Amino acid sequence: MALDDAMKSRLDGIRRSFQALTERLGDPDVIADSNLLRKVMKDRSQSEEVVMAYDEYSQLDVELEGAEELFQDAGDDAEMREMARAEMKEIEARMEVLETEIKLLLLPKDPNDERNCMLEIRAGTGGSEANIFAGDLLDVYRKFMTNEGWQVSMMDSSPGDDGGYKNVVLEVRGDKVYSKLKWEAGVHRVQRVPATETQGRVHTSTATVAIMPEVDEVDVKIDPKDIEMSTMRSGGAGGQNVNKVETAVDLLHKPTGIRIKCTQERSQLKNKELAMKMLMGKLYDLENEKREAEERARRGDQIGTGGRSEKIRTYNWKDSRVSEHRLGQNFPLQDILSGGVGPIIDGLIAKDQEAKLRQLSEDAAN
């Protein structure tokens, strides 16, 4: 099945824009303005992959015509006809692969995919065991992020009394961080015998993961009147300063009731900046989740990047398996604990793309 005329017309337009942007890279005015140059390069890079794929597809289309002509001209020459038929088959197979690749590249992009993000793990039901599980999830993600070559820093944390964390927030920076981590948002459930359990009974505990794209004042407007801020002494490690000076910040966003306590830094100003950064991320995430839910409802799609209350995954220690409920698949527990969440994320991305391609075909048919 070849690309239809409407699709080719759209691709021709993208190619013309790409060529125009390529020419602008040689414009002295563009070269002299670093911000403009960066924008032109970014705009060009966003269409480069699809243009390269379409160029190859167009070249193969020409080669296919040549092979078909050769087949027609071969007449009774069986060997020549067989050679042309084999070439046509090979070209058509490659064109089919490229067609799917091009359609995937043309699917609507999540505008947040290129952003860095904040990852929050919050212990849920299960008391001390939930805190310990939150700590286990933190270890999993740190290993995964190290393998991806991302930069990770702790923004805020609240340790559990018996280990683990009641709440922990990481800032993650790197290539297309949000596009991968967004699939981890939701409720993670663990089934295992806690270290404190004397009767050997299996307990079920949960932790909620939230993924918030990095945003700034341009993306989220916050009215200062909606903010209520108080300060306190941080306590804990960090020298006498944090114990004597009110460096910790407790920030309340009155319209939503979102409360953020930040004690990570040794100065009040830095803690306030961190708290505001986390608040902007949470507010943006709330709006983002609402938009995604509406879009999934419109598509009648069950696959999601995980709402706050959606149970997305169960970690079963007894059976040494992790069940990913959105895929209906099990994965080896030890692989996941070693940071191997990549195959799950890849599976979710592939399933989401399949759903979008199906929608694209249905829209084209109507």
Side-chain angles (χ1 to χ4, degrees), residues 150-164:
W150 295 340
Q151 295 177 336
V152 185
S153 58
M154 185 87 76
M155 289 186 78
D156 196 28
S157 64
S158 177
D161 297 332
D162 300 313

Side-chain angles (χ1 to χ4, degrees), residues 181-194:
L181 284 181
K182 67 181 180 181
W183 302 100
E184 292 301 299
V187 178
H188 296 241
R189 185 172 62 172
V190 64
Q191 293 176 326
R192 65 184 175 190
V193 179

Side-chain angles (χ1 to χ4, degrees), residues 184-207:
E184 292 301 299
V187 178
H188 296 241
R189 185 172 62 172
V190 64
Q191 293 176 326
R192 65 184 175 190
V193 179
T196 53
E197 170 58 55
T198 56
Q199 303 297 316
R201 289 171 300 191
V202 173
H203 288 226
T204 298
S205 304
T206 64

Side-chain angles (χ1 to χ4, degrees), residues 31-284:
I31 294 169
D33 186 335
S34 60
N35 289 331
L36 181 57
L37 179 62
R38 221 173 4 252
K39 185 181 183 308
V40 171
M41 287 174 72
K42 185 181 177 183
D43 290 347
R44 183 182 179 276
S45 70
Q46 286 173 347
S47 56
E48 184 172 14
E49 207 174 345
V50 71
V51 169
M52 295 301 107
Y54 184 47
D55 281 349
E56 185 182 348
Y57 182 92
S58 302
Q59 181 58 39
L60 287 171
D61 207 10
V62 172
E63 290 176 19
L64 183 62
E65 278 184 29
E68 287 169 346
E69 281 179 21
L70 183 64
F71 182 82
Q72 296 295 331
D73 295 345
D76 296 332
D77 189 334
E79 189 180 341
M80 187 65 78
R81 284 171 72 87
E82 187 54 40
M83 188 174 77
R85 188 183 285 113
E87 187 180 352
M88 285 161 59
K89 198 173 177 182
E90 188 180 325
I91 292 169
E92 284 169 346
R94 176 60 186 152
M95 286 180 76
E96 198 172 319
V97 170
L98 280 169
E99 183 186 345
T100 303
E101 189 180 314
I102 287 166
K103 285 180 177 177
L104 285 173
L105 289 167
L106 288 175
L107 288 176
K109 299 277 193 302
D110 184 335
N112 296 314
D113 276 353
E114 302 289 327
R115 295 180 188 243
N116 297 317
C117 73
M118 288 177 284
L119 179 148
E120 180 184 46
I121 307 169
R122 187 178 289 275
T125 55
S128 295
E129 172 63 10
N131 295 340
I132 292 167
F133 178 49
D136 292 339
L137 286 178
L138 176 63
D139 290 341
V140 167
Y141 290 129
R142 275 182 160 157
K143 288 169 187 171
F144 173 66
M145 292 164 189
T146 298
N147 292 338
E148 291 290 316
W150 295 340
Q151 295 177 336
V152 185
S153 58
M154 185 87 76
M155 289 186 78
D156 196 28
S157 64
S158 177
D161 297 332
D162 300 313
Y165 291 90
K166 295 174 185 174
N167 185 59
V168 60
V169 183
L170 299 179
E171 183 177 37
V172 192
R173 309 179 73 83
D175 183 38
K176 297 181 179 177
V177 165
Y178 184 79
S179 71
K180 293 184 179 180
L181 284 181
K182 67 181 180 181
W183 302 100
E184 292 301 299
V187 178
H188 296 241
R189 185 172 62 172
V190 64
Q191 293 176 326
R192 65 184 175 190
V193 179
T196 53
E197 170 58 55
T198 56
Q199 303 297 316
R201 289 171 300 191
V202 173
H203 288 226
T204 298
S205 304
T206 64
T208 301
V209 175
I211 308 295
M212 298 158 281
E214 185 180 71
V215 293
D216 54 31
E217 291 85 352
V218 176
D219 301 301
V220 180
K221 301 286 186 199
I222 299 176
D223 189 333
K225 294 196 293 293
D226 291 338
I227 300 291
E228 193 175 282
M229 192 187 88
S230 58
T231 59
M232 69 201 98
R233 295 177 186 178
S234 287
Q240 293 183 350
N241 181 62
V242 295
N243 295 315
K244 291 183 177 179
V245 183
E246 293 191 341
T247 56
V249 167
D250 184 353
L251 192 144
L252 173 68
H253 184 246
K254 289 183 278 189
T256 59
I258 292 173
R259 186 173 216 121
I260 294 167
K261 292 181 181 178
C262 201
T263 62
Q264 201 67 17
E265 298 293 338
R266 294 181 62 184
S267 83
Q268 188 187 113
L269 182 62
K270 285 186 177 177
N271 277 325
K272 184 183 175 184
E273 286 174 0
L274 270 182
M276 286 300 291
K277 196 172 186 178
M278 284 191 271
L279 175 62
M280 284 191 290
K282 283 177 180 282
L283 291 174
Y284 187 86

